[in-house]
């Protein structure tokens, strides 16, 4: 099961306690995002929903790439 795998990864050091804590901090935001997505999806056409999702994903990817740039 997922809990056994999580425990094994913690023991082997694949997942650290710090990354687990960050994941638990992010969990409410993830759940709220899923909930909002379920509310918004019926209000828009599938095409519009996909466009919005792609814009959000593009913004996230761009910010992630920007965060990795050396700022000297």
């Amino acid at each position: 099961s997922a809990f056994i795998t999580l425990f094994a990864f913690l023991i082997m050091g694949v997942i650290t306690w710090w990354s687990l804590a960050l994941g638990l901090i992010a969990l409410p935001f993830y759940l709220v995002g899923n909930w909002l997505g379920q509310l918004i999806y019926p209000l828009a056409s599938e095409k519009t929903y996909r466009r919005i999702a792609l814009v959000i994903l593009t913004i996230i990817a761009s910010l992630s790439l920007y965060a990795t740039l050396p700022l000297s």
Side-chain angles (χ1 to χ4, degrees), residues 38-51:
Q38 287 178 346
L39 287 179
I40 293 171
Y41 186 76
L43 302 176
S45 68
E46 184 174 347
K47 186 176 183 179
T48 302
Y49 186 80
R50 286 180 185 266
R51 284 183 179 167

Side-chain angles (χ1 to χ4, degrees):
S1 87
F3 290 110
I4 294 172
T5 303
L6 176 63
F7 183 72
F9 283 173
L10 281 168
I11 298 257
M12 295 184 322
V14 175
I15 297 175
T16 63
W17 288 105
W18 176 249
S19 63
L20 181 63
L22 289 177
L24 290 174
I25 291 169
L27 183 62
F29 299 100
Y30 170 77
L31 294 174
V32 168
N34 275 341
W35 177 68
L36 287 174
Q38 287 178 346
L39 287 179
I40 293 171
Y41 186 76
L43 302 176
S45 68
E46 184 174 347
K47 186 176 183 179
T48 302
Y49 186 80
R50 286 180 185 266
R51 284 183 179 167
I52 292 170
L54 286 173
V55 166
I56 291 170
L57 289 172
T58 302
I59 291 169
I60 291 170
S62 299
L63 290 173
S64 296
L65 287 172
Y66 178 75
T68 63
L69 294 176
L71 301 174
S72 51

